[in-house]
Amino acid sequence: MILASITWEFVALIITGVLALMGTLASLIYKQGNIDGKIIAVSDKVDVVDYKVEKLSDKFDNFLMRPWAEGQSPVKLTKLGVDIYAKEQIKKFVAEKFDEILSRLNDAKPISAYGAQEQLFDIVNSYKNDKEYKVILENEAFKAGQHIDILLKVIAIGMRDEVFNQLHFNVDHIDETNPNQTE
């Protein structure tokens, strides 16, 4: 009888603790979603975090690109960047993949100069996983003392003018069509 009484008291205590924990958790979740009096969905918060991480990543890339590309917009290669772009293996890669890259960009149907540049960066960056060129590009990045992502961005910037000529985009319109540009 005493043991049964202790067991029920113990169960009641556990249930009370669980309910208190659930109430506290619900309160935290509600407060976490309540910003400026408006409840914001979790997916909206993820979008905000993604946007901030993307902006930070862009700023970091721009910082890393300084020796190889000028900070002005539209970005242009510096003398060091031009020298890297002129390397034999890089020229070979560009010559062999130019039509394919142009075709992939054309298939993406960019609607603006800024969009075309961003898609060009993505397309060229995808070659870091290309079976035929992965090792060659990694070796060239190593020789340049840079990460392969930076090397591929240098290549994309080097190719951009000719690619834009083929697609009838104007490099000078990149800033005009940049949705992230603040005036």
Side-chain angles (χ1 to χ4, degrees):
M1 183 80 167
I2 295 177
L3 186 59
S5 174
I6 293 175
T7 305
W8 283 110
E9 289 174 0
F10 183 69
V11 169
L13 183 62
I14 289 177
I15 290 173
T16 305
V18 167
L19 289 174
L21 182 63
M22 288 174 58
T24 303
L25 184 60
S27 176
L28 286 172
I29 290 171
Y30 176 78
K31 287 180 182 177
Q32 193 69 18
N34 189 1
I35 298 174
D36 296 333
K38 299 176 186 170
I39 295 181
I40 297 175
V42 172
S43 65
D44 292 340
K45 286 183 188 180
V46 170
D47 290 343
V48 169
V49 170
D50 282 348
Y51 174 76
K52 288 182 179 181
V53 168
E54 184 176 316
K55 294 295 284 179
L56 185 59
S57 177
D58 288 344
K59 288 179 180 180
F60 188 64
D61 282 353
N62 290 339
F63 174 74
L64 291 176
M65 288 292 298
R66 281 189 185 165
W68 294 273
E70 296 175 2
Q72 69 193 33
S73 188
V75 66
K76 291 188 277 188
L77 295 179
T78 63
K79 177 164 176 9
L80 278 172
V82 170
D83 290 346
I84 288 174
Y85 187 70
K87 299 279 185 193
E88 182 180 339
Q89 291 295 330
I90 302 298
K91 288 191 321 191
K92 179 182 176 196
F93 167 78
V94 171
E96 291 178 5
K97 293 298 183 179
F98 185 86
D99 290 337
E100 182 180 319
I101 291 168
L102 182 63
S103 176
R104 287 177 63 189
L105 186 57
N106 199 27
D107 290 346
K109 298 186 185 341
I111 58 173
S112 68
Y114 176 80
Q117 176 178 269
E118 293 301 303
Q119 288 171 328
L120 177 62
F121 288 158
D122 290 342
I123 290 167
V124 172
N125 193 53
S126 72
Y127 285 93
K128 71 181 174 187
N129 298 317
D130 183 88
K131 290 178 185 175
E132 184 179 356
Y133 284 98
K134 179 179 170 90
V135 173
I136 293 168
L137 293 170
E138 287 174 346
N139 286 338
E140 290 301 315
F142 178 77
K143 290 176 193 174
Q146 207 39 254
H147 190 274
I148 189 168
D149 291 338
I150 300 301
L151 174 76
L152 290 167
K153 205 163 206 175
V154 167
I155 293 170
I157 294 167
M159 296 177 68
R160 183 189 57 204
D161 291 351
E162 181 59 29
V163 169
F164 272 36
N165 281 340
Q166 298 282 330
L167 296 177
H168 307 291
F169 279 111
N170 186 333
V171 174
D172 295 330
H173 294 159
I174 290 172
D175 285 340
E176 296 170 14
T177 58
N178 181 350
N180 301 318
Q181 186 87 15
T182 55
E183 304 200 24

